[in-house]
Amino acid sequence: MKRLLVVSAHAADFVWRAGGAIALTVSQGGEAFVVALSYGERGESGELWKEPGQTLERVKAIRHEEATRAAAILGAKLIPLDLGDYPLRVDDRVIDRLVDIMVEIAPDVLITHTPRDPFNPDHPVAYEATERARQLATGSGVASAFKTVRPPEFLLFEPHQPELCGFVPNVFLDITPVWEKKLAAMEVFTSQAYLQKYYAERAEHRANHARRISGLADIKRAEAFQRVLPQVVRSL
């Protein structure tokens, strides 16, 4: 049973960028977990702040409810850490928590943000925290004096501006069978409704690339990822 862990800087990032991967993992009998480092209440909830008399706690509550519903639609377990955003700050305590989560879940696949994003101060922080926790949780792939897990496949999901973030996709995932679930999860986030059309179109664009690469004409929607570590195989 494959286990997928997604580390998301904000409460909605996992839906836009890896919702298909999550739903597909679950539909194939696996388990999916999402760590939301923050709710994105300050910098990712512009629509909610247009309401008169809005408060930070109310925005956080709305974002929590949206993320919980979206995760349920996709079949994932949500683990919110509520660290705050813009700026997202990660200290040793948070790293320890991430290590504990990784050791407990022992994911086969780990997905997070790119290490560079000139338009978002929190995404690189999420990457750095995930990468450090991954190395500690796996003991960098060697025997250690503490409990470790087998190194998972490590992927980055597609950022909003891929070219400006150094994102070079080398994995395309066919999410056609679970597209309706991803669409339903995206529609939950009314706090960022303007992104729904963008990521729906991006799924079509990546499907076009996947069809041309593979020759599989039935791919209608796809997500793109960048593999961080080389793939180890026993045959080609």
Side-chain angles (χ1 to χ4, degrees):
M1 182 173 62
K2 182 168 288 188
R3 288 188 159 196
L4 168 66
L5 174 61
V6 179
V7 180
S8 180
H10 311 106
D13 293 329
F14 73 93
V15 175
W16 313 124
R17 299 171 171 90
I22 293 168
L24 196 63
T25 297
V26 175
S27 73
Q28 294 173 343
E31 291 183 296
F33 303 83
V34 174
V35 172
L37 297 178
S38 79
Y39 289 119
E41 64 272 14
R42 283 162 48 86
E44 302 277 304
S45 307
E47 295 301 308
L48 298 179
W49 286 105
K50 293 178 182 179
E51 299 178 12
Q54 188 62 272
T55 66
L56 188 67
E57 288 307 312
R58 174 165 167 72
V59 171
K60 286 173 65 174
I62 293 172
R63 293 281 286 187
H64 176 82
E65 192 271 338
E66 290 178 336
T68 301
R69 286 175 54 203
I73 290 170
L74 299 173
K77 177 183 178 181
L78 179 69
I79 307 172
L81 298 190
D82 191 14
L83 302 179
D85 67 314
Y86 282 75
L88 172 64
R89 294 187 174 93
V90 174
D91 56 20
D92 289 345
R93 176 184 58 85
V94 176
I95 297 296
D96 289 344
R97 176 72 174 118
L98 284 175
V99 171
D100 289 343
I101 290 171
M102 290 186 190
V103 171
E104 178 181 354
I105 293 174
D108 299 287
V109 180
L110 173 65
I111 305 176
T112 193
H113 296 266
T114 53
R116 182 160 60 92
D117 191 330
F119 295 101
N120 193 298
D122 295 345
H123 293 170
V125 175
Y127 167 83
E128 291 171 7
T130 303
E131 169 66 338
R132 179 163 174 75
R134 180 194 68 81
Q135 292 184 13
L136 292 168
T138 64
S140 294
V142 299
S144 305
F146 46 89
K147 184 178 180 181
T148 60
V149 295
R150 184 174 62 85
E153 293 186 61
F154 188 25
L155 305 175
L156 310 177
F157 48 47
E158 184 166 11
H160 195 73
Q161 298 90 2
E163 298 85 356
L164 301 179
C165 297
F167 178 81
V168 181
N170 51 25
V171 176
F172 290 89
L173 179 66
D174 178 13
I175 63 169
T176 306
V178 295
W179 170 246
E180 294 303 322
K181 283 192 175 182
K182 176 170 182 175
L183 184 61
M186 290 196 299
E187 290 174 345
V188 164
F189 279 95
T190 57
S191 58
Q192 289 180 289
Y194 57 92
L195 288 178
Q196 295 171 16
K197 182 175 183 290
Y198 177 90
Y199 281 100
E201 291 177 348
R202 180 46 57 103
E204 293 183 355
H205 296 161
R206 290 313 190 185
N208 176 63
H209 298 158
R211 287 194 301 271
R212 294 176 66 87
I213 293 168
S214 67
L216 299 175
D218 59 343
I219 299 178
K220 305 300 181 184
R221 301 289 191 284
E223 288 176 342
F225 300 91
Q226 181 176 346
R227 186 183 296 277
V228 177
L229 302 175
Q231 186 177 22
V232 178
V233 298
R234 294 186 182 270
S235 64
L236 295 177

